[in-house]
Amino acid sequence: MLEIKNLSKKYEGGPLALDDVSFEVKQGEFLAVIGLSGSGKSTLLRCINRLIEPTGGDIIWNGMNVTNASDDELRTVRRKIGMVFQHFNLVSRSSVLTNVLSGRLGYTNPAMAFFNKFSKSDIDNAHKELERVGIAEKAHQRADELSGGQQQRVGIARAMMQNPAIILADEPVASLDPVLAHSIMQHLEKINKEQGVTILCSLHFLDLVHKYADRAIALNDGKMMFDGSPAEIDDAKFREIYGKDAERVG
Amino acid sequence: MENNNNNNKSLKKSISKGILVVLGLIIFAYAFQVTAVDFGTTRDEVRMTSLTRVLRALAHPDLVEYETAELDVDIPFYLPCPDGETPSLPDNASSEPYITASAICGAAGETVTVEGYNFPAYVQGPLNFITASGVKKQLEKFQADENGYFIYEVEVPNRQPVAEAQAIRATVRTNIGAPMWSDNAIATWDKIIETIFIALLATTIGTLIAIPTSFIAARNLMVENTSPLTSVAFSIIGWLIGMWIGSQITKWLLVLFTPINESLLFSLVGAILSFGLLYAVLRWSITADDSEAPSLGKRIASITGTALSGIAFLILFGISFRAIGAALIEPLGALGFLPNFMFQVGEIIVMLTPGIIAIFFGAFVGSMLSKIGQRISDNMPAAQVKLVNIVAASLAGAAIFAIFGAGVEWFYQIGNPVKTFYIPGAVGGSLGLLLALTTTAKKAMPTGLIIYTITRTILNGTRSVEPLVMAIIAVIWVGIGPFAGSLALALHTVAALAKLYSEQVESISAGPIEAVQATGANQIQTIIYAVVPQIIPPYISFTMYRWDINVRMSTIIGFVGGGGIGFLLSQNINLLDYRAASAQMLAIAVVVASMDYISSVIREKFV
Ligand SMILES: Nc1ncnc2c1ncn2[C@@H]1O[C@H](COP(=O)(O)OP(=O)(O)OP(=O)(O)O)[C@@H](O)[C@H]1O
Ligand SMILES: [Mg+2]
């Protein structure tokens, strides 16, 4: 469903953050992206829905080349790609419900934004999504009044409002404690297993990768170092991905 | 060796320090010269007395007045002394106020001692010489002591000698009844209200325009807008064509609507009908669910429908508002300001309609051509795109420069089309050509950044013009009065607030914007759902801050004829009526202080 071909990104005046990265994501997969800090994980995920413009290569989404999509086409592509962020990226002064509803914006007529109006079914669905992540009672609270774990659930609910075919999760649990991390990962797993939503998730901790991912790809300095089952990451592979002096924790 | 080096260094340092100090002194000395500093004058006797006089006047603001009663206390005086016996002093031992004199006759130039008894304590008044025909000549200004007594030596004035008695008269003015607001206080009240409303109007209008402007002037929102040269050039051409079509349509519409101008009923019915139509078209074309792109036919139908009904509504609404307002001003009497408001709103709409229509068509044709340009750039081979670019960019460049030339012509009235039309056109055309030749055919141009830079430049330029200067121009345009002041302040408010606002937009966190964009939201949705919630507190705070500044500015904008209390103040200062001016200064101080307080309270509430 998603094919990345020779993708590269060079930041202006910066390093080559992605260097000829190619891989394929299959429908229904839980794919983890691992690598050191600065290896290009966030850049890769953001290139897929063109929050960052790639400087080379192609992204093929269901047979369509996203890299040269027009604004309208990009809008229809983006609304099928949910995104979850390390720092949640909620609009802190808006209510939880509004944050969740904003996941519907790709399906809503822009003129409606002036009236801050969503359809009845969207609002019902938003409540359902909040219920599914277990914070139905927080709907009318301001987003910044929630704890980190609750905020990430709102982030997931927002992504799910898009009725996504895939969710890009950029270190979704990096700012949470281990218990919360597992609960968020379980939500993602449930979405993956029960609703068949493909998940592409960058992770720091290998134990999480082993536990939740079907497959992993590894980046080092923008280059693909590994593509295979997490079980295949032995000590040699590990050193290759994380550098010679790295020690395994967890 | 090293030590030596160090010594050298510190010597150099000392010398440069010394030079700096000397330079500083010279600059200050020159500043004293230029600003004509002269502390001698501050101790000058004459100036000290006038300063004292003015300061005392300022300490007695002309706010209240009383009805006064005048009491005249006379003694007869003969000028010159009559022949024969000298008239004796009238007997006076009553408890009423009376005056005595050392002599009650004499020749001009003689000195007479006048004493007063039983006057109210501390009372002041003139001591006059009253001739037989009743003409006054002031001899002295008296002030009684705590016992109501005074004594003055006066000189007998040089007046026509007559036989009958003339008089020396002390006049006492006493206040009776309750204090009343003086005329000056009432005028001050009127003008301070006017001042507050100038500030209110300027702030509101300025804010309304500054908010959308600030988004265009925010780098982080604009930087992502890029499009290829083909699309840019097509868009420029499209805007010009569209605005020309729009102005033609306006001309045609104005002719069409002339008969309606006469009939209120017709225009009112028309306004209601067209509003209904507009509402229906919008309901039909804007559906909450936008998951399926509408068909081309539907899009064309909805845009045409919106345009037609919208334009008709604007014009008819403006005309009927204007007519209703005008008709109601007289009958409503004191409430006439309400229909007058209606009339003015109608007037504004009618006035702005041609502009709105031109912009609407400009935007429509511009965006259509821009899309076509984008298609061409995306789908044609690079060589052909380059060819299209060369033609389109030359055309667009020529058009822009020709318009620029027309502006120059308007300002300087050169009257030579070769200089103001053909040469700019050719220059623009070749610049466009050069641009098309030097850029890679399909490369995205930073259009957002260009618009951002232009907006910022205009804002900075406007901001650097003092509101007082703007008011002078506005006074020439719309005449002396508060309207001119409001216009000038509103314009300055737009420039100042848009800059402050846009800096706030630039400092918001990018995360929520990224998240909302990732859901497939377009730019307007992103602004409304990710930008606006983040900027509400600083926007409110800056608006209040500006309101504060506008109140201050509106108090002095009257100095150049911009209405408000400044007009009164400058008038009274020019008339040397410092007691009256003092009342206005007091009013300004009170208003500014309370605005300061109110705005700080509101700011705290919201931030
Ligand atoms: N906006 C930017 N401008 C310039 N360079 C950037 C920018 N964003 C990232 N980079 C650089 O690109 C490289 C890859 O960054 P990226 O954020 O993708 O890494 P990451 O793997 O997500 O790291 P982390 O685990 O710390 O989030 C880094 O060297 C980073 O410095
Ligand atoms: Mg990252």
Side-chain angles (χ1 to χ4, degrees):
Chain A
M1 72 189 297
L2 179 65
E3 206 184 336
I4 312 293
K5 284 187 184 164
N6 311 101
L7 192 67
S8 50
K9 167 71 188 178
K10 187 177 180 345
Y11 284 106
E12 209 134 321
L16 201 55
L18 287 179
D19 188 359
D20 199 19
V21 173
S22 303
F23 62 96
E24 204 175 321
V25 186
K26 292 198 187 60
Q27 178 87 48
E29 217 176 3
F30 197 124
L31 175 57
V33 184
I34 56 175
L36 278 175
S37 188
S39 57
K41 304 183 295 294
S42 301
T43 308
L44 171 64
L45 294 185
R46 279 168 173 72
C47 277
I48 292 175
N49 59 3
R50 274 183 53 196
L51 286 177
I52 291 175
E53 290 293 336
T55 41
D58 295 303
I59 298 153
I60 314 292
W61 169 256
N62 289 331
M64 178 196 174
N65 195 339
V66 181
T67 33
N68 51 27
S70 73
D71 286 355
D72 289 341
E73 290 164 341
L74 186 60
R75 190 169 185 232
T76 49
V77 170
R78 274 181 180 171
R79 69 187 187 193
K80 281 307 227 182
I81 304 179
M83 195 152 189
V84 176
F85 302 85
Q86 175 180 358
H87 300 292
F88 326 129
N89 289 1
L90 301 183
V91 182
S92 53
R93 292 179 55 86
S94 294
S95 72
V96 166
L97 187 65
T98 308
N99 270 290
V100 176
L101 279 169
S102 68
R104 265 335 261 183
L105 288 173
Y107 297 91
T108 314
N109 192 307
M112 282 302 179
F114 289 107
F115 313 102
N116 191 14
K117 233 185 118 160
F118 289 93
S119 71
K120 178 93 182 41
S121 64
D122 284 349
I123 296 172
D124 289 345
N125 281 335
H127 282 292
K128 264 187 216 129
E129 288 300 340
L130 280 175
E131 211 165 299
R132 199 167 291 166
V133 291
I135 47 170
E137 75 286 356
K138 305 276 184 197
H140 296 286
Q141 243 162 298
R142 254 174 66 158
D144 56 1
E145 290 167 357
L146 270 55
S147 73
Q150 290 167 336
Q151 291 197 24
Q152 194 57 295
R153 286 163 206 238
V154 177
I156 292 176
R158 172 173 65 192
M160 285 308 288
M161 283 300 282
Q162 293 176 236
N163 190 14
I166 186 172
I167 286 184
L168 309 174
D170 186 13
E171 288 173 33
V173 296
S175 21
L176 301 174
D177 67 48
V179 180
L180 274 176
H182 276 290
S183 112
I184 293 293
M185 289 308 293
Q186 277 155 13
H187 271 299
L188 288 177
E189 190 179 36
K190 212 166 99 186
I191 289 165
N192 176 249
K193 296 278 163 346
E194 289 175 10
Q195 276 152 290
V197 178
T198 311
I199 308 258
L200 180 52
C201 179
S202 71
L203 286 171
H204 263 315
F205 290 105
L206 274 181
D207 62 332
L208 292 179
V209 177
H210 283 295
K211 189 154 190 279
Y212 297 101
D214 306 329
R215 199 179 123 206
I217 56 174
L219 293 176
N220 186 342
D221 230 350
K223 288 193 218 16
M224 279 269 284
M225 304 302 292
F226 176 82
D227 182 350
S229 154
E232 290 169 34
I233 305 178
D234 51 21
D235 283 358
K237 270 286 167 218
F238 181 83
R239 288 220 179 76
E240 213 174 298
I241 298 166
Y242 286 106
K244 282 198 283 298
D245 306 325
E247 295 237 1
R248 289 185 92 131
V249 287
Chain B
M1 186 66 215
E2 198 177 54
N3 203 359
N4 203 356
N5 224 346
N6 268 351
N7 276 346
N8 265 347
K9 255 190 201 159
S10 63
L11 183 68
K12 264 189 198 160
K13 248 191 182 169
S14 309
I15 291 178
S16 56
K17 262 188 202 164
I19 292 177
L20 276 182
V21 170
V22 171
L23 258 179
L25 279 177
I26 292 175
I27 289 172
F28 259 84
Y30 191 63
F32 267 52
Q33 161 85 15
V34 171
T35 54
V37 172
D38 181 1
F39 281 97
T41 53
T42 60
R43 279 177 280 118
D44 184 292
E45 190 94 4
V46 184
R47 288 180 188 277
M48 285 297 265
T49 37
S50 39
L51 177 66
T52 314
R53 195 164 46 81
V54 170
L55 288 182
R56 287 201 179 135
L58 288 181
H60 292 89
D62 174 7
L63 288 174
V64 291
E65 61 189 11
Y66 296 86
E67 262 185 81
T68 54
E70 273 189 13
L71 173 67
D72 292 339
V73 184
D74 290 11
I75 46 166
F77 192 87
Y78 294 88
L79 174 78
C81 281
D83 300 332
E85 59 167 321
T86 37
S88 65
L89 214 61
D91 210 21
N92 255 322
S94 68
S95 55
E96 297 289 299
Y98 65 91
I99 51 180
T100 64
S102 56
I104 56 165
C105 72
E110 285 181 7
T111 304
V112 178
T113 307
V114 181
E115 283 173 279
Y117 299 90
N118 293 341
F119 281 82
Y122 306 116
V123 78
Q124 296 181 26
L127 195 60
N128 289 326
F129 186 85
I130 312 289
T131 63
S133 52
V135 177
K136 285 182 201 165
K137 156 79 182 157
Q138 183 163 322
L139 301 172
E140 189 63 69
K141 262 179 124 174
F142 72 84
Q143 175 164 24
D145 63 13
E146 74 264 31
N147 300 317
Y149 170 78
F150 65 80
I151 175 166
Y152 290 95
E153 285 198 346
V154 298
E155 195 177 293
V156 178
N158 192 4
R159 285 292 180 274
Q160 186 93 42
V162 287
E164 66 257 56
Q166 308 191 57
I168 291 176
R169 171 182 294 167
T171 304
V172 181
R173 229 178 241 135
T174 46
N175 297 332
I176 53 172
M180 300 174 303
W181 295 112
S182 66
D183 286 348
N184 182 56
I186 292 168
T188 306
W189 172 257
D190 272 358
K191 286 291 170 184
I192 201 78
I193 296 291
E194 188 178 296
T195 304
I196 294 173
F197 277 98
I198 290 175
L200 178 70
L201 215 60
T203 313
T204 324
I205 295 174
T207 306
L208 285 180
I209 303 177
I211 289 175
T213 314
S214 68
F215 297 139
I216 304 177
R219 196 187 176 93
N220 54 342
L221 295 186
M222 295 302 282
V223 74
E224 279 166 26
N225 292 312
T226 57
S227 42
L229 182 59
T230 328
S231 167
V232 176
F234 270 50
S235 163
I236 291 172
I237 296 170
W239 265 92
L240 296 177
I241 295 176
M243 286 176 72
W244 181 78
I245 295 176
S247 62
Q248 292 304 309
I249 288 180
T250 313
K251 267 187 206 156
W252 171 71
L253 280 178
L254 285 183
V255 176
L256 187 74
F257 281 107
T258 319
I260 294 172
N261 245 331
E262 260 86 275
S263 156
L264 172 60
L265 183 71
F266 203 84
S267 56
L268 194 60
V269 170
I272 293 169
L273 282 182
S274 54
F275 180 74
L277 186 64
L278 179 65
Y279 184 76
V281 172
L282 288 180
R283 272 316 281 264
W284 171 70
S285 55
I286 302 176
T287 42
D289 190 16
D290 198 27
S291 16
E292 302 302 320
S295 67
L296 187 67
K298 181 171 175 175
R299 257 197 262 178
I300 292 176
S302 67
I303 287 178
T304 329
T306 311
L308 285 183
S309 52
I311 291 171
F313 171 66
L314 261 184
I315 295 180
L316 292 169
F317 179 73
I319 291 175
S320 46
F321 240 55
R322 201 169 57 169
I324 295 172
L328 285 181
I329 290 178
E330 293 267 310
L332 277 185
L335 288 177
F337 68 93
L338 290 174
N340 180 50
F341 175 65
M342 224 170 145
F343 173 75
Q344 296 297 347
V345 170
E347 189 74 28
I348 293 173
I349 294 173
V350 172
M351 191 177 83
L352 291 184
T353 303
I356 295 175
I357 295 176
I359 289 177
F360 179 87
F361 277 90
F364 178 62
V365 181
S367 76
M368 243 173 36
L369 284 197
S370 151
K371 269 187 190 151
I372 294 175
Q374 183 82 44
R375 286 265 164 82
I376 292 175
S377 179
D378 285 347
N379 300 329
M380 289 222 286
Q384 284 175 34
V385 171
K386 188 123 195 161
L387 209 64
V388 176
N389 279 354
I390 287 172
V391 177
S394 312
L395 261 178
I400 290 177
F401 272 67
I403 289 174
F404 192 68
V408 172
E409 168 66 35
W410 186 83
F411 269 112
Y412 299 103
Q413 299 182 300
I414 294 166
N416 181 352
V418 174
K419 278 188 187 160
T420 58
F421 186 76
Y422 294 111
I423 292 182
V427 171
S430 20
L431 282 181
L433 182 70
L434 203 68
L435 187 66
L437 286 176
T438 48
T439 48
T440 327
K442 298 188 175 189
K443 196 183 159 213
M445 312 255 300
T447 41
L449 271 189
I450 294 172
I451 295 174
Y452 156 86
T453 312
I454 294 174
T455 317
R456 270 289 170 100
T457 312
I458 294 175
L459 287 181
N460 285 341
T462 318
R463 223 158 34 93
S464 61
V465 180
E466 273 297 309
L468 273 185
V469 178
M470 288 182 187
I472 293 171
I473 294 172
V475 164
I476 294 167
W477 184 19
V478 299
I480 287 180
F483 182 42
S486 312
L487 276 183
L489 278 184
L491 185 57
H492 198 260
T493 303
V494 171
L497 272 188
K499 167 130 199 286
L500 289 177
Y501 284 168
S502 60
E503 275 161 7
Q504 286 307 308
V505 174
E506 283 172 2
S507 69
I508 62 178
S509 66
I513 298 180
E514 193 180 37
V516 169
Q517 274 173 345
T519 66
N522 76 356
Q523 203 154 20
I524 289 172
Q525 291 172 319
T526 308
I527 287 179
I528 291 180
Y529 284 96
V531 177
V532 169
Q534 295 195 59
I535 55 177
I536 284 177
Y539 270 42
I540 288 178
S541 140
F542 278 125
T543 309
M544 292 318 296
Y545 166 67
R546 188 66 212 178
W547 156 243
D548 211 62
I549 293 180
N550 278 348
V551 170
R552 279 162 215 264
M553 284 305 310
S554 61
T555 58
I556 58 163
I557 209 145
F559 275 77
V560 295
I565 198 154
F567 185 61
L568 213 55
L569 181 58
S570 74
Q571 222 174 21
N572 282 326
I573 290 175
N574 289 337
L575 292 172
L576 306 182
D577 188 348
Y578 292 106
R579 286 196 56 206
S582 170
Q584 278 108 51
M585 293 182 197
L586 200 70
I588 291 175
V590 169
V591 165
V592 168
S594 27
M595 284 309 144
D596 215 62
Y597 175 71
I598 294 173
S599 80
S600 75
V601 168
I602 295 182
R603 274 210 301 257
E604 263 168 35
K605 272 249 162 71
F606 277 95
V607 187

